[in-house]
Every structure is written in structure tokens, then in C-alpha cells.
């Protein structure tokens, strides 16, 4: 009968075999010196004494030199036919606990740099290069995108005056302002969708869709002659395209710039007032000669040509997680600085664009400027906005984005109150230039503040989308409310509209102060 014997490390048997005492103290089978020896045999009738089939001992490392002689003695004693299984010298008894530990060790000893299942980007990705050809190409592409976006929004004051006097004379100022407010609000409202899509790695698709909708909507506007047609084309279609473009074009710059992020975003946003200078001039010069339709198409062709630059050069630097982000982050509601800042932004954008929409109408209705010169007030306002988007953003890197945005909001509120007393062309020009500068700082610094207040970069897209949702509703209702207050253009109604604009900015100032204090309470070293 074949016998099986195991020799493996372990604890010594509590009942050593009786005949093991026949060996001397120097024998290799000493219980204190030898490894555990165990001989087992299936239980059968008439089997041999189990003691003759088992040898146990414990050994120390000092007996390893005599291990071969020990094994030979054991084989002679057990006799032929025994099946000896020798464990590896470094092996240990295997138990469920040790097996689980072994499996765990295998996991922990893998390459730490290799991606693991379920990995997500680190909340603090590596800092951007803050320069280089590729980084500045992203700034160029983002600048062009903001030309497409804010350039058209900042030009709407010219369209407002033309629609009231020529194309849509039967519509009220409030009704016409809904076109521009829907366009501007969709820029933010669609950010709720474009933010998570950007986080999930769909930047190029957002770029294609956004550019197509903006250019297509501008061409369709050139064919409109009814209010509902203009609202669909210039309001909803162009506004949706802007929403797909705005948030991703700003977020991609933050991937390439860290220390000079606010300055880079400020340079990008400077493109919008440049377009706001050029487009009103194009409209006022070409419309009397070639008509509304072809003038609008000329602007559309300019937008189409400029779109080639971002389509060719813009690329993300950091890999996407590949996971779709939630449209809503409940933890943001417990972030006091973010909540207060968003509330302040709501009131600021409620009134911020009222002068842009109504400065031309104000100048013509008060006979301050001629109909030929009045559209240039929008151009002057956008010229001031260039300074407001570059200067404050350069200071924000040193003094903090929220601090500088607060100062710009204070200046805008003071100017809004001052607008009530202006009754001549010189004063209107100065107001347009200064208000353009201060309001430009408020608009351009908003994304930088969100970057600063968001500690977990994985939530940036979602939180920007939530913030833009609030700002979008604000812009959507802000200028129509101003138009409803204006009513029949009486002096009292004009003062009421200006007071509404100034009061909303004052409320925003108070909320920004609260946001700054809450941020300081959470982290005294945070520069925001």
C-alpha cells in the first residue's frame, strides 16, 4: 500500500511519537531542532500504527546546514514506498486569512503609476506649463470663440435700436430685449449641459456643435422679418451655440495656465469687446447701403472664417475621466463662499447689461446724439471693456480674483447711479467708456473666481454649470424687467430703470462681501 508523508513547517506535535526518543540529543530528529515532520495515511482497516507514519519537530535557522542528513534519516526510518512532500523553505502554512493577505499584497505591489480600475483624475492635477506655443494657441482659439460669443452679445444694442425703429416697430422695448436676453442667458443655461460633457471628454464635439449653431443662426437672422423668427434664430439658435462654446473655451485655458490663469483668461475675454467695437461699425456703415439682410450675412461670414482657428488648434491637455459628471453637485449647496458668490453674480448680471442694451436708445430719445453717432456709443463701451478685461485680470493674479471683482462691481454701481444725472453727449461718452471698463472686469473675472473657490477640480465643470445656470436666468429676466420699467420713455421711467440697475449692483456688492468673509473663515491663506 502506497503511503504518503508530508514534511512541512509548523508547530510541533503535542504528542510526539514514542520511538522518536531512540535518537540522541544530537540526532537530527530532536524536537527542538528539527522541522515539523508529518506522515499521513488514508484510514483503512489493519493500517499501520499512526505513530510510525508521523514525525513532527520544530527547528531554528541554525539547523539548516544539516537538513539533507535529517531527511535521509527520516527516509530510512519510514521505509520505501513513502510519498514525501517537501515544502518550499520560505513557505508558510496556508490559511484563508493568509490567502486573503497574499491576494491583497499582490494588489499593493503593482506599479503605482499604472491606471487602476475605477481611477479618477486627481482633484489637483499637475500644474499647467503657464506658457509655450501650445498654451498660447489655446488662448488664441479661446479668444476667437469669445469673439463669436460676447462680440454678438455686446453688439445687440445696435440691433435693439434698429428693431425698435425699423424692422419690428410694433414690438415694445421689453419684447425686443427678450431676443438679446434669451441669447445671453442661453450662453449660461446650456453650460449646465456643456460643463459635464467637457469633463467627460467631449470638448471637440461641443466645439463643432457650438460653432455650427452660432454661424447658422446668424445666417438665419438675415432672413427674418417677423418677431418670432428673430427670437428663434438670434435668440435660441445662436444662444444655444454660445452655451456649447463658452464654458469649455474658458475651462481649457485653465488646463494650460496656473499661476497666470486670470491673466490668460483676461486676454481671451479681450476678444469680445474688440468684436463689440468692429461689429457695430460694420452694421451702422453697411446697413444703409446693402440692407439688413446682407449686413447680417457679412458678419456671419466673418464668424465663419474666424472659426477655422479654434477648430484647428484647440486641444485639451489633461485626459478626461471618461465618466459623465452629474449635472448637479449637492455638496455645492453646503459651500458657503460658492453659494454667496453665485447669489451675488445673480444680482450683478441682473443689471450689468442694461446699459449695453439701452445706451443707444437713451442717446436718441434724449436727443443727446444723432442717429448716426448713437450706435458708436456701444463701440465706445466695448472699447472701455478691453481695458476692463485685461487690467483687472492682471491684478487678480496678485490680489485675488474675488477681491478685484468686488472693486469692479462697486465702480459699476457708482457709475449706474451717476447715469441718472447725465444729459449731454460728453457725459454719455465718458459714462460709456468707464462703465465698459468696470463691467468688463466683472464679466471676465467670474470664471477665475470659480476656479479659486473649487478645491476639487473634478467638480469644476459641474459647479461652473450650476453657477452659469443662475447667471443665465438672471440675464434672461434682467433686461426685459428694465424694458418693462422703461415703458413709454418718460423721464421718471428712465430714472426708474437706472435706479433698478444700480440697486441690483448694490445687492451684489453685499453678497460678494459675504462670500469673501466666508472664504477667509474657511481658509485664511486662500487668495481669492
Amino acid at each position: 500500500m502506497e503511503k504518503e508523508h508530508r514534511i512541512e513547517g509548523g508547530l510541533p506535535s503535542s504528542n510526539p511519537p514514542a520511538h522518536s526518543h531512540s535518537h540522541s540529543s544530537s540526532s537530527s530528529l530532536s524536537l527542538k531542532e528539527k522541522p515539523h515532520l508529518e506522515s499521513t495515511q488514508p484510514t483503512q482497516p489493519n493500517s499501520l500504527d499512526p505513530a510510525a507514519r508521523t514525525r513532527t519537530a520544530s527547528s531554528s535557522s541554525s539547523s539548516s546546514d544539516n537538513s539533507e542528513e535529517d531527511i535521509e534519516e527520516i527516509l530510512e526510518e519510514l521505509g520505501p514506498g513513502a510519498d514525501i512532500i517537501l515544502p518550499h523553505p520560505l513557505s508558510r502554512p496556508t490559511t484563508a486569512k493568509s490567502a486573503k493577505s497574499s491576494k491583497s499584497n499582490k494588489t499593493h505591489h503593482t506599479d503605482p503609476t499604472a491606471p487602476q480600475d475605477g481611477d479618477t483624475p486627481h482633484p489637483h492635477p499637475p500644474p499647467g506649463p503657464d506658457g509655450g506655443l501650445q498654451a498660447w494657441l489655446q488662448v488664441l482659439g479661446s479668444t476667437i470663440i469669445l469673439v463669436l460669443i460676447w462680440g454678438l452679445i455686446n453688439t445687440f444694442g445696435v440691433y435693439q435700436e434698429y428693431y425698435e425703429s425699423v424692422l419690428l416697430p410694433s414690438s415694445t422695448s421689453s419684447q425686443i430685449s427678450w431676443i438679446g436676453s434669451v441669447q445671453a442667458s442661453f450662453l449660461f443655461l446650456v453650460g449646465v449641459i456643456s460643463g459635464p460633457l467637457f469633463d467627460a471628454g467631449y470638448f471637440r464635439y461641443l466645439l463643432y456643435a457650438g460653432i455650427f449653431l452660432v454661424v447658422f443662426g446668424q445666417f438665419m437672422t438675415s432672413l427674418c422679418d417677423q418677431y418670432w423668427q428673430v427670437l428663434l434664430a438670434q435668440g435660441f439658435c445662436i444662444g444655444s451655440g454660445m452655451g456649447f462654446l463658452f464654458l469649455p473655451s474658458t475651462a481649457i485655458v485653465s488646463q494650460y495656465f496656473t499661476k497666470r490663469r486670470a491673466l490668460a483668461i483676461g486676454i481671451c475675454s479681450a476678444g469680445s469687446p474688440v468684436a463689440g467695437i468692429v461689429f457695430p461699425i460694420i452694421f451702422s456703415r453697411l446697413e444703409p447701403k446693402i440692407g439688413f439682410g446682407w449686413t447680417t450675412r457679412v458678419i456671419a461670414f466673418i464668424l465663419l472664417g474666424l472659426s477655422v482657428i479654434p477648430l484647428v488648434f484647440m486641444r485639451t491637455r489633461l485626459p478626461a475621466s471618461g465618466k459623465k459628471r452629474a449635472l448637479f453637485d449637492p455638496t455645492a449647496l453646503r459651500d458657503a463662499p460658492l453659494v454667496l458668490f453665485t447669489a451675488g453674480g445673480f444680482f450683478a448680471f441682473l443689471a450689468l447689461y442694461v446699459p449695453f442694451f439701452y445706451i443707444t436708445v437713451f442717446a436718441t430719445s434724449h436727443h443727446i446724439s444723432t442717429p448716426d453717432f448713437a450706435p458708436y456709443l456701444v463701440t465706445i463701451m466695448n472699447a472701455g471693456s478691453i481695458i476692463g478685461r485685461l487690467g483687472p485680470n492682471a491684478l487678480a493674479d496678485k490680489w485675488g480674483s474675488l477681491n478685484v471683482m468686488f472693486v469692479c462691481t462697486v465702480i459699476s454701481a457708482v457709475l449706474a447711479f451717476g447715469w441718472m444725472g447725465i444729459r449731454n453727449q460728453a457725459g454719455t461718452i465718458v459714462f460709456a467708456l468707464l462703465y465698459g471698463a468696470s463691467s468688463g472686469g466683472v464679466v471676465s473675472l467670474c470664471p477665475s473666481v470659480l476656479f479659486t473657490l473649487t478645491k476639487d477640480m473634478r467638480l469644476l465643470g459641474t459647479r461652473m454649470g450650476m453657477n452659469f445656470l443662475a447667471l443665465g436666468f438672471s440675464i434672461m429676466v434682467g433686461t426685459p424687467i428694465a424694458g418693462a420699467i422703461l415703458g413709454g420713455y418718460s423721464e421718471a421711467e428712465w430714472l426708474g430703470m437706472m435706479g433698478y440697475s444700480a440697486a441690483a449692483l448694490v445687492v451684489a456688492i453685499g453678497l460678494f462681501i459675504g462670500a469673501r468673509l466666508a472664504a477667509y473663515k474657511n481658509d485664511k491663506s486662500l487668495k481669492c
Side-chain angles (χ1 to χ4, degrees):
M1 180 182 298
E2 181 176 328
K3 299 176 286 296
E4 179 183 285
H5 297 272
R6 298 182 180 272
I7 301 178
E8 55 188 30
L11 295 174
S13 174
S14 59
N15 298 314
H19 64 274
S20 64
H21 295 288
S22 62
H23 297 276
S24 65
S25 61
S26 62
S27 172
S28 59
L29 292 180
S30 171
L31 292 176
K32 297 183 179 180
E33 299 179 5
K34 298 300 174 281
H36 174 70
L37 304 179
E38 181 181 21
S39 174
T40 62
Q41 178 181 354
T43 303
Q44 294 181 0
N46 302 323
S47 62
L48 296 177
D49 182 6
R53 299 303 181 190
T54 307
R55 294 291 184 269
T56 61
S58 62
S59 69
S60 64
S61 60
S62 62
S63 64
S64 60
D65 294 337
N66 300 324
S67 60
E68 293 184 2
E69 297 178 2
D70 296 340
I71 294 174
E72 289 179 0
E73 287 188 29
I74 295 169
L75 291 176
E76 291 176 0
E77 183 174 2
L78 293 177
D83 185 9
I84 308 297
I85 301 176
L86 301 176
H88 191 276
L90 298 180
S91 67
R92 294 289 183 270
T94 302
T95 63
K97 184 177 180 180
S98 63
K100 182 177 180 180
S101 176
S102 175
K103 183 177 179 180
S104 176
N105 290 339
K106 289 181 180 180
T107 302
H108 290 297
H109 284 83
T110 55
D111 183 4
T113 62
Q116 304 295 326
D117 293 339
D119 275 357
T120 55
H122 194 275
H124 299 287
D130 276 316
L133 178 61
Q134 190 65 21
W136 289 112
L137 284 176
Q138 308 312 305
V139 173
L140 175 62
S142 182
T143 302
I144 298 301
I145 288 179
L146 294 181
V147 165
L148 273 66
I149 297 174
W150 291 105
L152 292 179
I153 293 175
N154 292 342
T155 306
F156 187 78
V158 177
Y159 283 97
Q160 173 91 20
E161 195 276 334
Y162 179 81
Y163 291 157
E164 288 188 25
S165 59
V166 180
L167 188 65
L168 305 171
S170 61
S171 299
T172 65
S173 295
S174 181
Q175 290 174 333
I176 293 174
S177 66
W178 273 104
I179 300 171
S181 65
V182 166
Q183 182 187 84
S185 65
F186 266 54
L187 180 151
F188 291 101
L189 293 176
V190 180
V192 177
I193 302 173
S194 62
L197 288 177
F198 174 80
D199 289 341
Y202 294 99
F203 170 72
R204 299 293 297 180
Y205 295 98
L206 293 170
L207 193 64
Y208 298 143
I211 289 176
F212 170 78
L213 289 174
V214 170
V215 175
F216 177 75
Q218 187 71 10
F219 275 115
M220 291 298 101
T221 302
S222 68
L223 304 175
C224 299
D225 57 5
Q226 301 292 323
Y227 175 80
W228 65 270
Q229 296 173 344
V230 180
L231 181 62
L232 288 177
Q234 194 171 14
F236 287 98
C237 184
I238 294 179
S240 298
M242 291 176 174
F244 285 131
L245 293 172
F246 178 52
L247 190 151
S249 68
T250 306
I252 195 174
V253 174
S254 68
Q255 293 185 357
Y256 287 84
F257 291 87
T258 303
K259 295 181 180 179
R260 295 189 289 176
R261 178 181 294 161
L263 176 61
I265 294 176
I267 294 173
C268 295
S269 62
S272 58
V274 170
I277 294 172
V278 175
F279 290 163
I281 294 175
I282 291 175
F283 189 90
S284 61
R285 290 292 184 180
L286 293 183
E287 190 277 325
K289 298 178 181 178
I290 62 177
F292 169 78
W294 271 107
T295 300
T296 304
R297 282 191 284 273
V298 167
I299 296 175
F301 278 116
I302 294 174
L303 298 178
L304 180 61
L306 291 174
S307 300
V308 175
I309 296 175
L311 287 174
V312 172
F313 294 114
M314 295 196 76
R315 296 289 187 277
T316 56
R317 183 179 73 91
L318 301 176
S321 65
K323 296 181 180 180
K324 294 183 179 180
R325 298 298 182 190
L327 298 179
F328 180 76
D329 174 26
T331 62
L333 300 179
R334 298 190 295 270
D335 192 335
L338 183 64
V339 171
L340 290 170
F341 172 73
T342 301
F346 178 88
F347 282 96
F349 280 83
L350 197 67
L352 205 61
Y353 279 91
V354 171
F356 281 88
F357 279 39
Y358 290 101
I359 188 70
T360 302
V361 179
F362 169 78
T364 55
S365 64
H366 284 78
H367 306 288
I368 292 175
S369 302
T370 63
D372 292 335
F373 181 79
Y376 287 98
L377 291 172
V378 178
T379 300
I380 294 171
M381 193 171 286
N382 283 294
S385 189
I386 296 177
I387 301 172
R389 292 170 187 260
L390 291 176
N393 279 272
L395 296 174
D397 287 324
K398 181 179 181 180
W399 294 346
S401 298
L402 182 55
N403 295 333
V404 178
M405 186 175 179
F406 165 77
V407 173
C408 291
T409 308
V410 171
I411 296 174
S412 297
V414 171
L415 291 170
F417 280 113
W419 189 17
M420 296 180 178
I422 297 175
R423 293 296 181 270
N424 56 65
Q425 182 168 293
T428 305
I429 292 174
V430 172
F431 165 77
L433 186 65
L434 295 178
Y435 187 84
S438 61
S439 63
V442 176
V443 173
S444 62
L445 285 169
C446 186
S448 298
V449 177
L450 289 174
F451 294 145
T452 305
L453 295 180
T454 302
K455 296 180 180 179
D456 189 344
M457 289 294 108
R458 294 172 298 183
L459 301 174
L460 178 61
T462 300
R463 289 195 170 192
M464 287 184 72
M466 294 171 63
N467 178 268
F468 286 178
L469 178 65
L471 300 186
F473 278 117
S474 175
I475 294 177
M476 178 180 288
V477 301
T479 51
I481 290 174
I485 295 172
L486 185 58
Y489 300 107
S490 68
E491 188 64 23
E493 289 169 329
W494 273 106
L495 291 175
M497 188 200 72
M498 296 172 184
Y500 153 77
S501 177
L505 291 171
V506 170
V507 175
I509 291 171
L511 290 168
F512 287 156
I513 293 174
R516 185 64 187 91
L517 293 176
Y520 179 79
K521 182 179 179 181
N522 291 345
D523 185 358
K524 293 181 175 57
S525 63
L526 181 64
K527 184 176 68 175
C528 66

